[in-house]
Amino acid sequence: MFRFRLYVAHNTYNSGQALANLTALCRTWLPGRHEIEVVDVFREPQRALADGILMTPTLVRLAPLPIVRIIGTLSEAQPLLPALGLGSAAA
Amino acid sequence: MSSATAEVSSLIEDLCRTEQRLKELTGGEVDTITDRDGRTFLLRHAQEELRHSEAARQAAILNALPAHVALLDSRGVVLSVNDTWRRFAGVGAGINYLEVCDNAVIADGIRSVLDGRANTFSIEYPCPSPEEQRWFLLTVTPLAGDHPNGAIVMHLDVTAERRTEESLRLSESRFRQMAENIGEVFFLQNLDSSEIYYVSPAYERIWGRTCESLYENPASWGDSIHADDLHYAFGKFKEGRNSGFDYEFRIVRPGGEIRWIHVRGFPIVDDAGKPYRTAGVASDITQRKLASDTLRESKRRLSDVMDNVEMVSLMLDTNAHITYCNDYLLRLTGWRREEVIGEDWFERFLPFDRGDVRSVHAALLADLPSSSHHENEILTRAGEKRLIQWNNTLLRSAAGEVIGTASLGLDITERKQSEARLRLQSFALNAAANAMIILDRDFRIVWMNPAFTELTGYSEDEAIGSNVRELLSPGLHDAAFCKEIRDTIVGGETWRGEMTNRRKDGRLYPEATVITPVKDEDGTISHFISIKTDLTVERQMEAQLRQAQKMDAVGQLAGGVAHEFNNLLQALMSMAAIIRLRAATAEIATIGTEIELQIRHGASLTQQLLVFSRRQVAQKSALDLVKQVEKASVLLERLIPETITVVVEISPGPLMIEGDEGQMQQVLLNLALNARDAMPSGGTLMLRTGSTSGEVFLEVEDTGLGMDEATQAHLFEPFFTTKEPGKGTGLGLAVVYGIVDQHGGRIDVRSHPGEGSRFRVILPAIRSDGVPVALPSAVAEITSGSGRVLLVEDDKAVREGIAELLEMIGYEAIAVASGEEAIAIALDPPPDVLLSDVTLPGIAGSVLGERLRERWPSLKVVLMSGYLEEKSRADAIDRGWHFLQKPFEVTDLATHLGAAMNAR
C-alpha cells in the first residue's frame, strides 16, 4: 500500500496540476493500493510547518519507507517513477 | 520621505528579483513558499492565475444560468449582463435599466434596492408574447457591501411552475368539488390521527356531527365508534397505517342510531417513501350489512343443518363437477374439501360402473321423473364401497336455467347388509335340516321351519300356538325332567339334551334338543329357540355298527375254534381211516366208518363256522339268481311238509350275480328251513326274486310265528337259536350272514310277532354276460401213488396221522416238525413232494417251499392249512402248488398228491 500526502495551496494552478498528475499516476500504477491525503497549507499552515514543507505543491511518500519528498507539478514521468519506486518494478 | 521611498523602491526590486529567482529555481512549478516561521507566501504569478481562473469560473456560472442576469451600478446603469440576458434582450452594458424599464412597479422596486431602502425585491409578472403567455420572476439583490453600490437584477422564466400551480389549483378545486358531493366521507389526516387536514361534508350526513367539530377535536372520530368495535377498529387502523387498511365497524350517531361503516385507507408517502399522512374513504354500509348479515345467517343455519344431518348433501354443476358438499360426505369418504370441490363427481367417487350413474345424472338434468331417486355405490378414499340412496333435484338459476343438481344421500350400506343378512338367515333357517321352533314365554310355538313339519308331521296350522310339550310329548317325560329343562332355560341358560317325542302319526322318535332363551333389549327373556336333531337314523346306524362289531368278534372266535377243531378232526380222520382200512374184522371196519362219518359231521360244522367267519373260500362265478331259486325249490319239495304251501315268484329275466353256487344254495336252504320251522302248524312259504337299481334280491317269506325285536337283534349270532335243544345248531343264519357278507350283500329282515317273517337278501348285480368260472370237480376214488413225500407239520398227532395215511396210499413219508428241520435234513435221493402246513412256528410253509425248490427245482409243493384264507390259497395256486383244506379225507390227499406228482 502506497500512502501519499500532497501539500497544496488552495486550487492554485501548480497545486491543481500536481493533484491531477498524482491521481492519474496512482490510477495507472497503483490501482487499489494507494491512499492520497491532500493538505491545503492555507487551511492547515501549522501542519505544513511541522512537516517542514517549504513549497507547494510538495508530494510526500509516507509508505513504503523511506519517506520521499518531491516538489513540483509531477508532470514529468521519466524522473518521477524511479523516484517513487514504481517504473522499474513494473517493467 | 525620499529615503523611505528609495528603500521601498529597493525592497520592491528585491521582491521582484526574489520571485524571479524562485521561479527559475522551481521551474515555475511552485505556487507558495513558506518561511521558517510558517508564513506562507503565494507567489505573484500564482496569484494572477488564481484570480484569472476565479473570474472565468464566475462568468461561466453566470452564463450557464437560465436566468437573465444584469449588474447595475448605483445609478441603474447596466455594467454587465450574462449570455442569457444578452440573447434575450439584446441590450448590453452602458444603458440605464431604470430608463428602459416600462414597468413602474419594477422600476420602483429596483430603485428601492439601489437606494438601500429595501434589502431585496422580487415580483412575478406576466410577459405577453405573440405565442403564449409567459411568466417571469424578477429578483433584485443589492451588491455586497455596507452601502448600496449597485444591484443584480435577475429575471427567471417561471411559466412552467406557474402552469403546474395552475393545474394543481384546478385539480384541487375539482377534488374538493367531488369530495364534497360524493356520498362517502373522504378524509386526510396525519399518521396518528391527531390532526385532520380535510374531511368531506358527507361526514356530517353519516356521522351526524359537524366537520368543524372533527377539525377541532380529531379524537371525536374515536368517540363515535361503537364500544364493541373500538378495539377492533383501532387495531385495524394501526396495523394498516403504513400499508393500507380496509375494515368495517359500527358508529353511534349522537341520537343513538347505529350505522355500519366500511373504511378503506392508504398512506401518503413523502419523496423518501416514508408515510406522513393517511387518506381514506369511509362509506355507510348499514343497508348492505343488514341485508348480507341476514343472508349469511340464513346460509349459516342451512349449512349447519347440512353439516350436522347424517346425510350426504351434494351439488353438482351440469358437467357433474362438485360445487358443494357437506362435512358428512367428507367424513364418510375421507376426502378433504379442497380435494373434491371442482372435481368430477364420477371420477372422484365412482371409479367403477360409471356409465349407469352418469346416465342418471344426464336424465336428471333432462328433468326426467325417473331420476329423482336411485341407489348406487360410491368409493371412499380408502377404497371401501358405500351404498347411497339418493334423492335428487334440479337446480335452476333465477332465470330458470338448469345450472346443476342437488342431491341428498342416505348411507344405506349397513341397512342393506343387515337386510341381506336377515334374508340369508331366514333362508338358512328355512332350509336348515334341523327342525327349529321359536316358543314364547308360555312355551307356545310362535314360529317353525319346514324341517319341523318333516320331523314331527305337524303343519304350521296345527303347530303354531300350541304348547310344545302338549303337542310332542304328552305323558312321555316325567315331571323332574320337565322341571330341569324349564329351570335351565327360564334361568337364562341353554339346555342341551336328548329326549323321545311322539310324531303326529304316533310313532316315537329320538331327538337331540338345544333350547336357548332369547333376551330382549332390557335383558328380559322374551322367547326360546329350540333346535331339534332327529336321532332316528343315528340310532339305527349305531345299532348297525354295534351289530357289525359283535359279528366280527364272534366270527374271529368261531374261526379260531374251527381251526383248532380242524386239526383235531384231521388227526381223528387219519386214525379212523387207518382203523377202517386195517380193521381185523368187518365189525371194527364198520366202527371205523362210523367214526369217519361222525368226523365228517363235525368237519361240516367247523366248515359252517369258517363260512360264517368269512374264512371259507367262495368259488365265485356268474350265477343267475332265478335259476338258483328254481333249483333250490326243487330240493325243498322234499324237505317241506305238505302242511306248508311253497309259492315261487320269480322275475322274468335272469338276475345275474357273481357268487358261489354252493353257498347260494346253502343260503336259500337255510332260510327256507328256518321258515319251515317257524310254521309248525303250516302256512305259506314264498320264494321271490327281484331287482332294484343295480341290485338284485331274493326273498324268503313265511306266515309263521314272527319274531320280536329282541330276537331280531341276535338273529345272526352263531349258536343263537329259538329252537328246542337238539333241533338246530344255531349256525344256520350265522352262515347266511357270513355268505351274504362275503358276497358284498346285505339282509333286510321284516318281522313282527304273530305276523310271520320276511328275509330279503340283497346282492350286487352284474351284467348278464358274466363269464362263469369252471369249478374243479371232486374225485371220490382213492388213487394210490408212489414217491417220497417230505411232510412238515408241527402238531405231532396230525403229523403222525398224515404220515401213516401217506404210507397207506403208497408214498414214502419223511416227517419233520418244522421248516428248519426240513432244510437241515439231508435227503438222497431228494423228495418228490413237499407236504407242509402253512402255519408253522418258524419258517412259514410258503417260504419253506421256495427254499427247498431252490435246492431241488423239480420238487412239487402241496400246502395245507386249518385256516382257510383266500390269500394263502391264492398264493399257493399262483406258484403252481396245491392246497389242501384241513380236515381233509384220504381221498383228497391222494388226489392232490397224484395231481402234483403228475404235473410236469
Side-chain angles (χ1 to χ4, degrees), chain B residues 29 81 108 148 160 164 287 308 372 422 615 675 696 698 764 785 871 895:
Chain B
E29 290 193 5
V81 297
D108 281 350
T164 308
Q287 291 301 321
N308 288 313
S372 58
L422 280 176
R615 290 189 169 104
V696 296
L698 63 87
K871 191 173 178 300
T895 305

Side-chain angles (χ1 to χ4, degrees), chain B residues 174-245:
Chain B
R174 280 191 195 132
F175 160 74
R176 198 170 283 273
Q177 235 175 350
M178 181 196 75
E180 292 181 2
N181 286 298
I182 58 168
E184 285 86 6
V185 174
F186 179 81
F187 60 92
L188 187 63
Q189 61 182 25
N190 66 351
L191 284 182
D192 60 4
S193 311
S194 62
E195 200 175 337
I196 304 285
Y197 303 112
Y198 178 78
V199 63
S200 64
Y203 178 73
E204 301 192 353
R205 193 167 45 74
I206 295 172
W207 260 258
R209 298 160 189 254
T210 63
C211 293
E212 284 70 28
S213 69
L214 184 61
Y215 287 124
E216 284 163 17
N217 179 17
S220 69
W221 174 276
D223 296 344
S224 68
I225 298 176
H226 191 286
D228 291 349
D229 294 351
L230 195 58
H231 184 72
Y232 166 78
F234 269 107
K236 286 297 236 184
F237 176 73
K238 271 190 192 165
E239 182 186 307
R241 197 155 51 189
N242 293 324
S243 54
F245 49 81

Side-chain angles (χ1 to χ4, degrees), chain A residues 9 12-15 54 56-57 73, chain B residues 28-34 38 49:
Chain A
T12 52
Y13 178 76
N14 287 318
S15 293
L54 296 177
T56 63
T73 59
Chain B
E29 290 193 5
V30 167
D31 299 317
T32 64
I33 54 170
T34 308
E49 279 168 3

Side-chain angles (χ1 to χ4, degrees), chain A residues 9-16 41-42 45 48-49 53-57 71-76, chain B residues 22 26 28-42 45-46 49-50 53-54 57:
Chain A
H10 278 339
N11 52 349
T12 52
Y13 178 76
N14 287 318
S15 293
V41 296
F42 288 117
L49 181 65
I53 299 302
L54 296 177
M55 289 173 265
T56 63
I71 295 167
T73 59
L74 313 175
S75 48
E76 299 208 16
Chain B
L22 277 171
T26 63
E29 290 193 5
V30 167
D31 299 317
T32 64
I33 54 170
T34 308
D35 66 9
R36 290 176 199 285
D37 300 327
R39 285 189 291 252
T40 302
F41 299 95
L42 189 62
H45 75 94
E49 279 168 3
L50 201 57
S53 72
E54 193 66 28
R57 201 153 44 229

